[in-house]
Amino acid sequence: MFCYFTVMEFLSFSLLLLWLLQLVSAQMVTEPAEVTALNKIIEHWNLGRKLNTTIDPCTQGVPWGPETANPHVGCDCNNNTCHITHLKIYALDILGEIPKELFQLKKLMDLNLGQNVLNGTIPAEIVQLSDMQYLSLGINNFTGQVPPELGKLTKLKSLSFSSNNFFGPLPKELGNLASLQQLYIDSSGVSGPIPPEFANLKSLRIIWASDNLFTGKIPEYLGTFTELKDLRLQGTLLEGPIPSSFGALTKLENLRIGDLSGEDSTLDFLDNQTSLSILSLRNCQVTGQIPERLGKFANLKLLDLSFNKLTGHIPLSFQDFPSLQYLYLGNNNLSGELPVNIINTNLIALDVSHNPLSGNLPHNFAKVGLSMNVIGTSINANSLADGNALEMLQCLQGNKKCSNKLPSSSFSIKCGGTKLTSASGIEFDDDSEKLVAASFYTSSDGQWAVSNTGNFISNPNGPLYIVNTDSQITGTLESELYKTARISPSSLRYYGLGLKNGKYRVDLHFAEIAMEDSLSWKGLGRRVFDVYIQGERVLQDFNILKEAGESKKALVKTFEANVTNTIMEVHFFWAGKGTCCIPYQGTYGPLVSAIHASQASDVSGTKRDKKRLGIIVGIVVGCAAGLVVISSVFYLQLTKKKNSLGHMRVFTDSPKDNLVN
């Protein structure tokens, strides 16, 4: 009996041991070559603290296994062998070039290296990742040309290399990516014509291609991409017209085209795009009338047709927009009166500035939460602002000779901040009034006004139009002058009112306080905008951070301007250029810290400078003074005759004509 149990126990133990051996042999292990490659990548990018190289990377339950983990390593396991298929190293500020070992992970399907500080070129060896479906290289410091080998990754569904420093044309080989559904190449640095081979990309649903140096006409074949839901082409060198073939893009939800040169465009293609939620055709040289049918687009929340050549009346159908929140029609040639009931329940912002419109404000103009901008029109809007200031602003239309009983020779504004006196004695006026998506404000003394239009779409921080910092500003003794600034997503204008006619010196004060210049990916942003004074572009593609050399450093730009009809206009304009989303979405557009303008004969307007001027005048008394007086009188009489038609500037459509040059 004892022997029987002994034998049975031995057999049971043997079976258990055999089962354990089989279990061990059945354990999934990662392909050794891939483990070696991953360890080299971890070492190269100094990620040892985040990824434990002593554990098999595909082991179940490891911290980097879940899709939400960052870093994330995902695997596909079959026949006792695991392959690394997903690798995410996102927004961790990894430095350096792409190591060659990355291309040993030949089963990768999803690679996300976005929002880091990677540099160098994209190696041609990337062609070895032939199973790749989702490739994100956006917001980095990559240089060189976009490798044509990307065109051989024919399984790609999503490709992103936006916000980098590439140069040269888009490789025509990308036209082989017939399965591609998403293409993010905005602010990537590429240039030249969009290749005709891209006509094969008919599966595309999203194209972000703004802020690149594309040339030639907008491709007609884009109208065959009938799956498109989101198309963005702003701030390029592309020429119009907007192709009529776009009428077939009936699934569009977001269409943003801007800053076109060349031939005029029309709105004829807009017919069945009833899925549109955002329609922005800003500064596209659009002519003709606004079609009534637009008012029937039930899903439209934002409509921006500003800075175009539109004529006729605002359609009565705009009174029936069921969901419209933002309506921008400024800087056109629209006439007549505003529809009485254009301000419906959902409307948040209405901009009709710089149009020859007339009549009274529409019903419900005082609705809580509504902002409205009617500067540069003849609309009776005394209830919105100081009547005298608005009367002076009507001089902007250029057909009215204006004068002021109490003319001034200077104005100084602390943009976005409270009143302060500089170390040099200049008193900068308070400009801390809250401006929103379509609004204007006139100073308490009526000497200046400010106008803003536009809203930062998708900004996680909400509708910010003033930025500030507690950091010390370098390069100046006036640090407080730069700690606040006005920003705008579209158009920011300042007006000096009731000025003496003559030549002025204009000092514009800047400091980049919203974008970083750190070694982080957050320091890769580029703010680019234009500046106009009296309708003349004085700064194009202006980048504060680049010109100052660092963030939070003061920069002053000085210009001369002529005032011939009592008003000076300083216009900060976003022409679709610069990054959109660094360090967060909606980080772009003009920024200004302060403005000081003074007549050339009264450079600062301060007591100190007046005293200095008195000394100078005393020295030059006599015959020389008499000669100067006589010459000045002669000059003023000549100027008066020369400018008898009014303020010599680009009037209601400023700066449209200059923007496309």
Side-chain angles (χ1 to χ4, degrees):
M1 191 74 174
F2 174 78
C3 292
Y4 170 77
F5 282 109
T6 302
V7 172
M8 290 299 294
E9 289 174 356
F10 175 76
L11 290 174
S12 298
F13 176 77
S14 299
L15 289 172
L16 178 61
L17 183 61
L18 181 61
W19 178 78
L20 289 173
L21 289 172
Q22 289 176 339
L23 184 64
V24 171
S25 64
Q27 277 285 349
M28 301 293 186
V29 294
T30 307
E31 173 67 41
E34 295 181 22
V35 175
T36 301
L38 182 63
N39 287 337
K40 290 286 187 180
I41 295 169
I42 293 170
E43 180 182 354
H44 182 81
W45 284 334
N46 195 26
L47 293 170
R49 294 182 179 180
K50 297 181 181 293
L51 289 170
N52 188 345
T53 59
T54 64
I55 302 175
D56 189 295
C58 294
T59 303
Q60 291 187 358
V62 290
W64 54 84
E67 292 184 9
T68 55
N70 185 30
H72 164 60
V73 178
C75 302
D76 181 29
C77 300
N78 287 303
N79 301 323
N80 299 341
T81 302
C82 295
H83 293 284
I84 297 172
T85 56
H86 295 66
L87 180 60
K88 177 175 68 175
I89 304 173
Y90 174 76
L92 295 179
D93 287 335
I94 55 174
L95 300 165
E97 300 184 357
I98 294 179
K100 63 182 180 180
E101 287 81 8
L102 180 66
F103 308 116
Q104 298 302 312
L105 306 180
K106 299 184 186 299
K107 298 296 183 180
L108 271 180
M109 299 168 54
D110 188 338
L111 176 61
N112 185 351
L113 300 178
Q115 295 184 204
N116 287 294
V117 203
L118 296 171
N119 56 22
T121 61
I122 306 298
E125 288 85 350
I126 199 168
V127 72
Q128 299 177 35
L129 306 181
S130 57
D131 285 341
M132 189 66 66
Q133 296 182 24
Y134 302 92
L135 178 58
S136 178
L137 303 172
I139 308 185
N140 273 289
N141 233 342
F142 290 120
T143 56
Q145 294 193 339
V146 178
E149 286 78 9
L150 288 174
K152 295 184 179 180
L153 305 182
T154 54
K155 294 181 181 179
L156 274 176
K157 296 180 181 179
S158 179
L159 173 61
S160 170
F161 52 83
S162 60
S163 299
N164 274 287
N165 293 304
F166 296 110
F167 63 84
L170 284 170
K172 63 181 181 180
E173 288 81 1
L174 296 184
N176 297 327
L177 305 178
S179 298
L180 199 64
Q181 298 178 11
Q182 301 176 0
L183 180 61
Y184 302 95
I185 57 175
D186 49 299
S187 303
S188 61
V190 293
S191 60
I194 299 177
E197 289 80 4
F198 276 39
N200 299 322
L201 306 180
K202 298 187 186 300
S203 297
L204 278 171
R205 299 178 183 178
I206 298 175
I207 302 176
W208 289 18
S210 298
D211 185 36
N212 286 305
L213 299 176
F214 293 131
T215 57
K217 291 184 178 295
I218 297 178
E220 189 84 23
Y221 62 72
L222 289 177
T224 66
F225 294 2
T226 54
E227 297 298 316
L228 264 183
K229 293 185 177 182
D230 191 340
L231 174 60
R232 307 186 189 187
L233 278 173
Q234 298 172 297
T236 70
L237 300 179
L238 287 171
E239 300 176 3
I242 299 172
S244 59
S245 63
F246 277 30
L249 304 180
T250 57
K251 294 184 180 180
L252 276 175
E253 297 174 3
N254 192 333
L255 177 60
R256 307 185 202 182
I257 301 176
D259 317 291
L260 298 179
S261 61
E263 297 179 33
D264 291 345
S265 297
T266 71
L267 300 177
D268 293 344
F269 74 94
L270 291 171
D271 193 8
N272 297 312
Q273 285 79 9
T274 54
S275 296
L276 278 169
S277 174
I278 296 174
L279 174 59
S280 177
L281 304 177
R282 180 176 173 271
N283 192 36
C284 289
Q285 300 198 111
V286 178
T287 62
Q289 299 187 8
I290 303 174
E292 288 277 347
R293 61 182 178 274
L294 269 185
K296 306 300 181 184
F297 283 23
N299 297 312
L300 202 57
K301 294 183 179 179
L302 183 149
L303 175 60
D304 188 348
L305 300 176
S306 58
F307 296 93
N308 284 301
K309 303 177 182 179
L310 293 168
T311 56
H313 293 193
I314 297 174
L316 292 177
S317 64
F318 278 25
Q319 299 177 121
D320 304 319
F321 262 121
S323 58
L324 193 67
Q325 297 178 355
Y326 302 93
L327 177 58
Y328 300 106
L329 301 174
N331 286 83
N332 279 287
N333 200 28
L334 299 170
S335 57
E337 298 185 8
L338 290 175
V340 174
N341 295 310
I342 193 171
I343 301 173
N344 57 32
T345 305
N346 295 309
L347 197 65
I348 296 174
L350 172 62
D351 170 45
V352 292
S353 60
H354 298 278
N355 279 288
L357 293 163
S358 58
N360 296 318
L361 292 171
H363 292 167
N364 206 23
F365 72 88
K367 188 187 81 167
V368 175
L370 174 76
S371 63
M372 185 186 311
N373 192 343
V374 297
I375 276 185
T377 73
S378 295
I379 294 173
N380 180 18
N382 289 345
S383 53
L384 289 180
D386 178 76
N388 292 329
L390 286 176
E391 184 179 352
M392 283 189 282
L393 283 165
Q394 289 181 0
C395 300
L396 292 169
Q397 296 180 29
N399 55 7
K400 180 180 179 182
K401 181 65 178 176
C402 291
S403 61
N404 188 8
K405 295 180 181 178
L406 298 173
S408 62
S409 58
S410 67
F411 64 95
S412 306
I413 306 167
K414 174 61 202 89
C415 306
T418 56
K419 181 178 180 179
L420 65 82
T421 301
S422 70
S424 58
I426 299 174
E427 293 185 359
F428 287 87
D429 290 347
D430 183 302
D431 180 34
S432 59
E433 183 75 14
K434 181 179 180 181
L435 295 184
V436 285
S439 55
F440 64 94
Y441 168 75
T442 57
S443 63
S444 57
D445 57 9
Q447 290 191 347
W448 56 270
V450 57
S451 163
N452 177 72
T453 60
N455 58 299
F456 292 104
I457 304 172
S458 303
N459 190 325
N461 297 319
L464 297 178
Y465 296 90
I466 292 176
V467 290
N468 56 72
T469 181
D470 293 327
S471 300
Q472 192 72 12
I473 305 300
T474 62
T476 180
L477 298 177
E478 316 268 13
S479 186
E480 293 300 318
L481 189 64
Y482 299 90
K483 289 188 176 183
T484 63
R486 284 268 185 213
I487 55 173
S488 174
S490 177
S491 172
L492 177 66
R493 283 181 162 110
Y494 282 91
Y495 306 93
L497 304 177
L499 296 171
K500 295 178 181 178
N501 291 336
K503 182 177 290 186
Y504 281 73
R505 166 176 165 158
V506 183
D507 295 327
L508 304 180
H509 297 260
F510 303 98
E512 181 55 75
I513 60 175
M515 288 184 173
E516 302 178 10
D517 59 353
S518 64
L519 296 178
S520 164
W521 66 269
K522 295 180 180 179
L524 299 177
R526 298 188 292 268
R527 183 190 304 279
V528 178
F529 59 95
D530 298 341
V531 180
Y532 295 77
I533 300 179
Q534 300 297 65
E536 178 184 350
R537 184 164 54 196
V538 295
L539 290 173
Q540 183 177 14
D541 297 341
F542 179 53
N543 184 328
I544 302 170
L545 197 156
K546 181 178 180 180
E547 189 150 342
E550 58 185 274
S551 66
K552 300 179 179 63
K553 181 178 181 180
L555 175 67
V556 182
K557 305 291 288 186
T558 300
F559 307 95
E560 288 187 350
N562 287 318
V563 172
T564 60
N565 200 21
T566 77
I567 287 183
M568 178 186 294
E569 178 191 86
V570 183
H571 187 189
F572 305 90
F573 184 82
W574 180 62
K577 298 180 181 179
T579 54
C580 68
C581 310
I582 306 173
Y584 48 81
Q585 285 197 41
T587 307
Y588 60 90
L591 177 153
V592 60
S593 303
I595 299 173
H596 173 60
S598 57
Q599 201 166 17
S601 59
D602 185 20
V603 174
S604 72
T606 65
K607 292 181 179 179
R608 179 183 301 178
D609 287 331
K610 286 181 179 178
K611 182 177 179 180
R612 185 182 303 160
L613 181 62
I615 295 173
I616 295 173
V617 170
I619 294 174
V620 296
V621 206
C623 294
L627 182 60
V628 170
V629 171
I630 294 170
S631 301
S632 299
V633 171
F634 177 78
Y635 171 77
L636 289 173
Q637 289 296 324
L638 182 62
T639 304
K640 183 176 180 181
K641 292 180 181 179
K642 190 175 182 180
N643 294 298
S644 60
L645 295 179
H647 197 169
M648 299 300 292
R649 58 184 293 278
V650 183
F651 298 116
T652 57
D653 57 353
S654 170
K656 174 187 59 189
D657 292 341
N658 290 327
L659 286 172
V660 297
N661 291 340

Coordinates of all heavy atoms in Angstrom, one line a residue, residues 384-433:
L384 N -23.1 103.1 -28.3 CA -22.1 102.1 -28.0 C -20.8 102.8 -27.5 O -20.0 102.1 -26.8 CB -21.7 101.3 -29.3 CG -22.8 100.3 -29.8 CD1 -22.3 99.6 -31.0 CD2 -23.1 99.3 -28.7
A385 N -20.6 104.0 -27.8 CA -19.3 104.7 -27.4 C -19.5 106.2 -27.5 O -20.6 106.7 -27.8 CB -18.2 104.3 -28.3
D386 N -18.5 106.9 -27.1 CA -18.5 108.4 -27.2 C -18.8 108.9 -28.5 O -18.2 108.6 -29.5 CB -17.2 108.9 -26.7 CG -17.1 110.4 -26.7 OD1 -17.7 111.1 -25.8 OD2 -16.5 111.0 -27.7
G387 N -19.9 109.7 -28.6 CA -20.3 110.2 -29.9 C -19.3 111.0 -30.7 O -19.1 110.9 -31.9
N388 N -18.6 111.9 -29.9 CA -17.6 112.7 -30.6 C -16.5 111.8 -31.2 O -16.0 112.1 -32.3 CB -17.0 113.7 -29.6 CG -18.0 114.7 -29.2 OD1 -18.9 115.1 -29.9 ND2 -17.9 115.2 -27.9
A389 N -16.1 110.8 -30.4 CA -15.0 109.9 -30.9 C -15.5 109.2 -32.2 O -14.7 109.1 -33.2 CB -14.6 108.9 -29.8
L390 N -16.7 108.7 -32.2 CA -17.2 108.0 -33.3 C -17.3 108.9 -34.5 O -17.1 108.5 -35.7 CB -18.6 107.4 -33.0 CG -18.6 106.2 -32.1 CD1 -20.0 105.7 -31.8 CD2 -17.8 105.0 -32.8
E391 N -17.7 110.2 -34.3 CA -17.7 111.1 -35.4 C -16.4 111.3 -36.0 O -16.2 111.4 -37.2 CB -18.3 112.4 -34.9 CG -18.5 113.5 -36.0 CD -19.1 114.8 -35.5 OE1 -19.5 114.8 -34.3 OE2 -19.1 115.7 -36.3
M392 N -15.3 111.4 -35.2 CA -14.0 111.5 -35.7 C -13.6 110.3 -36.4 O -12.9 110.4 -37.5 CB -13.0 111.8 -34.5 CG -13.1 113.2 -34.0 SD -11.7 113.6 -32.8 CE -12.4 112.8 -31.3
L393 N -14.0 109.1 -35.9 CA -13.6 107.9 -36.6 C -14.3 107.7 -38.0 O -13.8 106.9 -38.8 CB -14.0 106.7 -35.7 CG -13.0 106.4 -34.5 CD1 -13.6 105.5 -33.5 CD2 -11.7 105.9 -35.0
Q394 N -15.4 108.5 -38.2 CA -15.9 108.4 -39.6 C -15.0 109.0 -40.6 O -15.2 108.8 -41.8 CB -17.3 109.1 -39.5 CG -18.4 108.3 -38.8 CD -19.7 109.0 -38.8 OE1 -19.9 110.1 -39.3 NE2 -20.7 108.4 -38.2
C395 N -14.0 109.8 -40.1 CA -13.0 110.3 -41.1 C -12.2 109.2 -41.7 O -11.6 109.4 -42.8 CB -12.0 111.2 -40.3 SG -12.8 112.6 -39.5
L396 N -12.3 108.0 -41.2 CA -11.6 106.8 -41.8 C -12.2 106.5 -43.1 O -11.5 105.9 -44.0 CB -11.8 105.6 -40.9 CG -11.0 105.7 -39.5 CD1 -11.5 104.5 -38.6 CD2 -9.5 105.6 -39.7
Q397 N -13.4 106.9 -43.4 CA -14.0 106.6 -44.7 C -13.3 107.4 -45.8 O -13.5 107.1 -47.0 CB -15.5 106.8 -44.7 CG -16.2 105.9 -43.7 CD -17.7 106.1 -43.7 OE1 -18.3 106.5 -44.7 NE2 -18.3 105.8 -42.5
G398 N -12.6 108.5 -45.4 CA -11.8 109.2 -46.4 C -12.6 110.2 -47.3 O -12.0 110.9 -48.0
N399 N -13.9 110.3 -47.1 CA -14.6 111.3 -47.9 C -15.1 112.4 -47.1 O -16.0 113.2 -47.5 CB -15.8 110.6 -48.6 CG -16.7 109.9 -47.6 OD1 -16.5 110.0 -46.4 ND2 -17.7 109.1 -48.1
K400 N -14.5 112.6 -45.9 CA -15.0 113.7 -45.0 C -13.7 114.4 -44.5 O -12.8 113.8 -44.0 CB -15.7 113.1 -43.8 CG -16.2 114.1 -42.8 CD -17.0 113.4 -41.7 CE -17.4 114.4 -40.6 NZ -18.1 113.8 -39.5
K401 N -13.8 115.7 -44.7 CA -12.7 116.6 -44.2 C -12.9 116.8 -42.7 O -13.9 117.3 -42.3 CB -12.7 117.9 -45.0 CG -11.6 118.8 -44.5 CD -10.2 118.3 -44.8 CE -9.1 119.2 -44.4 NZ -7.7 118.7 -44.7
C402 N -11.9 116.4 -41.9 CA -12.1 116.5 -40.4 C -11.2 117.5 -39.8 O -10.1 117.7 -40.3 CB -11.9 115.1 -39.8 SG -13.1 113.9 -40.3
S403 N -11.7 118.1 -38.7 CA -10.8 119.0 -38.0 C -11.2 118.8 -36.5 O -12.2 118.2 -36.2 CB -11.1 120.4 -38.4 OG -12.4 120.8 -38.2
N404 N -10.4 119.4 -35.6 CA -10.6 119.3 -34.2 C -10.4 120.6 -33.5 O -9.4 121.3 -33.8 CB -9.7 118.2 -33.6 CG -10.1 117.9 -32.1 OD1 -11.1 118.4 -31.6 ND2 -9.2 117.2 -31.5
K405 N -11.4 121.0 -32.7 CA -11.2 122.3 -32.0 C -10.1 122.3 -31.0 O -9.5 123.4 -30.8 CB -12.5 122.7 -31.3 CG -13.7 122.9 -32.3 CD -15.0 123.2 -31.5 CE -16.2 123.4 -32.4 NZ -17.4 123.7 -31.7
L406 N -9.8 121.2 -30.5 CA -8.7 121.1 -29.5 C -7.7 120.0 -30.0 O -7.6 118.9 -29.4 CB -9.2 120.8 -28.1 CG -10.2 121.8 -27.5 CD1 -10.8 121.3 -26.2 CD2 -9.4 123.1 -27.2
P407 N -6.9 120.3 -31.0 CA -6.0 119.3 -31.6 C -4.9 119.0 -30.6 O -4.4 119.8 -29.9 CB -5.5 120.0 -32.8 CG -5.6 121.4 -32.6 CD -6.8 121.6 -31.7
S408 N -4.5 117.7 -30.6 CA -3.3 117.3 -29.8 C -2.2 116.9 -30.8 O -2.4 116.7 -32.0 CB -3.7 116.1 -29.0 OG -4.1 115.0 -29.8
S409 N -1.0 116.8 -30.2 CA 0.2 116.5 -31.0 C 0.8 115.2 -30.6 O 1.9 114.9 -31.1 CB 1.2 117.6 -30.9 OG 1.5 117.8 -29.6
S410 N 0.1 114.4 -29.8 CA 0.7 113.1 -29.4 C -0.3 112.2 -28.7 O -1.4 112.7 -28.3 CB 1.9 113.3 -28.4 OG 1.4 113.8 -27.2
F411 N -0.1 110.9 -28.6 CA -0.9 110.0 -27.8 C 0.0 108.9 -27.4 O 1.0 108.5 -28.1 CB -2.1 109.5 -28.5 CG -1.9 108.7 -29.7 CD1 -1.8 107.3 -29.7 CD2 -1.7 109.3 -31.0 CE1 -1.6 106.5 -30.8 CE2 -1.5 108.6 -32.1 CZ -1.4 107.2 -32.0
S412 N -0.2 108.4 -26.2 CA 0.6 107.3 -25.6 C -0.3 106.3 -25.0 O -1.2 106.7 -24.2 CB 1.6 107.8 -24.6 OG 2.4 108.9 -25.2
I413 N -0.1 105.0 -25.3 CA -1.1 104.0 -24.8 C -0.3 102.8 -24.2 O 0.7 102.3 -24.8 CB -1.9 103.5 -26.0 CG1 -2.6 104.6 -26.7 CG2 -2.9 102.4 -25.5 CD1 -3.3 104.3 -28.0
K414 N -0.6 102.4 -23.0 CA -0.1 101.2 -22.4 C -1.0 100.0 -22.8 O -2.0 99.7 -22.1 CB 0.0 101.3 -20.9 CG 0.5 100.1 -20.2 CD 1.8 99.6 -20.6 CE 2.1 98.2 -20.3 NZ 1.6 97.3 -21.4
C415 N -0.7 99.4 -23.9 CA -1.5 98.4 -24.4 C -1.8 97.2 -23.5 O -0.8 96.5 -23.0 CB -0.9 97.8 -25.7 SG -0.5 99.1 -26.9
G416 N -3.0 97.0 -23.1 CA -3.4 95.9 -22.3 C -3.1 96.1 -20.8 O -3.3 95.2 -20.0
G417 N -2.7 97.3 -20.4 CA -2.3 97.6 -19.0 C -2.8 98.9 -18.5 O -3.5 99.6 -19.2
T418 N -2.5 99.1 -17.2 CA -3.0 100.3 -16.6 C -2.1 101.5 -16.8 O -0.9 101.3 -17.3 CB -3.1 100.1 -15.0 OG1 -1.9 99.6 -14.5 CG2 -4.2 99.0 -14.8
K419 N -2.5 102.7 -16.5 CA -1.8 103.9 -16.7 C -0.4 103.9 -16.0 O -0.3 103.4 -14.8 CB -2.6 105.1 -16.2 CG -1.9 106.4 -16.4 CD -2.9 107.5 -15.9 CE -2.2 108.9 -16.1 NZ -3.1 110.0 -15.6
L420 N 0.6 104.3 -16.7 CA 1.9 104.4 -16.0 C 2.7 105.5 -16.6 O 2.5 105.9 -17.8 CB 2.7 103.1 -16.0 CG 3.1 102.5 -17.3 CD1 4.4 103.1 -17.8 CD2 3.3 101.0 -17.1
T421 N 3.7 106.0 -15.9 CA 4.6 107.1 -16.4 C 5.9 106.5 -16.5 O 6.5 105.9 -15.6 CB 4.6 108.3 -15.4 OG1 3.3 108.8 -15.3 CG2 5.6 109.3 -16.0
S422 N 6.5 106.6 -17.7 CA 7.8 106.0 -17.9 C 8.9 106.8 -17.3 O 8.7 107.9 -16.8 CB 8.1 105.9 -19.5 OG 8.3 107.2 -20.0
A423 N 10.1 106.2 -17.3 CA 11.3 106.9 -16.7 C 11.6 108.1 -17.4 O 12.2 109.1 -16.8 CB 12.5 105.9 -16.6
S424 N 11.3 108.2 -18.7 CA 11.5 109.4 -19.5 C 10.4 110.4 -19.4 O 10.5 111.4 -20.1 CB 11.8 109.0 -21.0 OG 10.6 108.3 -21.5
G425 N 9.4 110.1 -18.6 CA 8.4 111.1 -18.3 C 7.1 111.0 -19.2 O 6.2 111.8 -19.1
I426 N 7.1 110.0 -20.0 CA 5.9 109.9 -20.9 C 4.8 109.2 -20.1 O 5.0 108.2 -19.5 CB 6.3 109.0 -22.1 CG1 7.4 109.7 -23.0 CG2 5.0 108.8 -23.0 CD1 7.9 108.8 -24.1
E427 N 3.6 109.8 -20.2 CA 2.5 109.2 -19.5 C 1.7 108.3 -20.5 O 1.1 108.8 -21.4 CB 1.6 110.4 -19.0 CG 2.2 111.2 -17.9 CD 1.2 112.2 -17.3 OE1 0.1 112.3 -17.8 OE2 1.6 112.9 -16.3
F428 N 1.7 107.1 -20.2 CA 1.0 106.1 -21.1 C -0.4 105.9 -20.5 O -0.5 105.5 -19.3 CB 1.8 104.8 -21.1 CG 3.0 104.8 -22.0 CD1 4.2 105.2 -21.4 CD2 3.0 104.5 -23.3 CE1 5.4 105.3 -22.2 CE2 4.1 104.6 -24.1 CZ 5.3 105.0 -23.6
D429 N -1.4 106.0 -21.3 CA -2.8 105.9 -20.9 C -3.2 104.5 -20.6 O -2.7 103.5 -21.2 CB -3.8 106.5 -21.9 CG -3.7 108.0 -22.1 OD1 -3.1 108.6 -21.2 OD2 -4.2 108.5 -23.1
D430 N -4.2 104.4 -19.7 CA -4.7 103.1 -19.3 C -5.4 102.4 -20.5 O -6.2 103.1 -21.2 CB -5.7 103.3 -18.2 CG -6.3 102.0 -17.7 OD1 -6.9 101.2 -18.5 OD2 -6.2 101.7 -16.5
D431 N -5.1 101.2 -20.8 CA -5.7 100.4 -21.9 C -6.1 99.0 -21.4 O -5.9 98.1 -22.1 CB -4.8 100.4 -23.1 CG -5.4 99.6 -24.3 OD1 -6.7 99.7 -24.5 OD2 -4.7 98.9 -25.0
S432 N -6.6 99.0 -20.2 CA -6.9 97.7 -19.6 C -8.4 97.3 -19.8 O -8.8 96.2 -19.3 CB -6.6 97.7 -18.1 OG -7.4 98.7 -17.5
E433 N -9.1 98.1 -20.6 CA -10.5 97.7 -20.9 C -10.6 96.4 -21.6 O -9.8 96.0 -22.4 CB -11.1 98.8 -21.8 CG -12.5 98.6 -22.2 CD -13.5 99.0 -21.0 OE1 -13.0 99.7 -20.1 OE2 -14.7 98.7 -21.1

